[in-house]
Amino acid sequence: SPARAPQDGWRHHIENMKKNHPEQYAQMTNRIAHYRRRRLEHAQSRIDFLASLDVSRMSAAARKTHEDLQTMIERREEIESRLHDPELSAEDRRAIFEEMRETDRELDRLNRRERDNLLTQTANDLGLKGEDAAELTAAVKGIIEATEGMRRRPSRSERRRR
């Protein structure tokens, strides 16, 4: 018999779980649904926060970054939602993952720019200008970098506890 494509093997595994282990299947689908819901809520929370900011004093470049970031957050969620199509071929899945990686890189770049812009704007709002504003911005960025640690994906047991 010909070897199964990895995607066919996964589908077979899922169908087998659904038929022979319905409780495990239900737990798995509930975890996936919970994860999707949390991701969507987080994305919406970010978009709501960004949309609430006063952009009237932003430069044209800062405003463009601000708008591009919101668009990219929405795009990232749209890309991920396409991954949940059960009829997706392995080739299409790989292409979507590559698109998601590129989008994530762009999101990281836009997040850093937006953070810098917002920190500078906050320093200015506090009455700081020039070197004083730059020092405050650098200090806050240093705090963020020193305390956020390496981003890593939580282990399975960590994800289950959430």
Side-chain angles (χ1 to χ4, degrees), residues 3-99:
R4 280 194 180 131
Q7 191 64 26
D8 291 339
W10 176 249
R11 284 188 189 127
H12 175 75
H13 171 73
I14 295 300
E15 287 303 316
N16 183 47
M17 181 187 289
K18 189 176 185 178
K19 183 173 135 186
N20 298 321
H21 306 284
E23 198 169 291
Q24 285 179 320
Y25 178 79
Q27 289 172 349
M28 180 190 71
T29 56
N30 287 340
R31 279 193 308 271
I32 291 169
H34 180 72
Y35 168 77
R36 282 187 203 163
R37 189 172 46 256
R38 280 192 10 240
R39 276 202 57 88
L40 288 172
E41 288 169 357
H42 178 68
Q44 189 59 55
S45 173
R46 291 182 68 200
I47 289 171
D48 290 348
F49 171 77
L50 293 169
S52 75
L53 297 174
D54 178 8
V55 298
S56 64
R57 293 180 317 220
M58 286 184 181
S59 67
R63 192 175 296 122
K64 180 166 179 11
T65 296
H66 184 75
E67 292 165 358
D68 289 351
L69 177 58
Q70 292 173 78
T71 299
M72 195 59 63
I73 292 168
E74 291 170 346
R75 181 169 180 230
R76 171 61 167 79
E77 293 311 309
E78 182 274 324
I79 293 168
E80 181 158 326
S81 71
R82 292 185 349 232
L83 280 174
H84 302 291
D85 178 355
E87 300 303 314
L88 203 58
S89 71
E91 183 177 322
D92 288 343
R93 185 173 299 282
R94 277 191 297 278
I96 291 171
F97 271 119
E98 181 55 34
E99 183 181 1

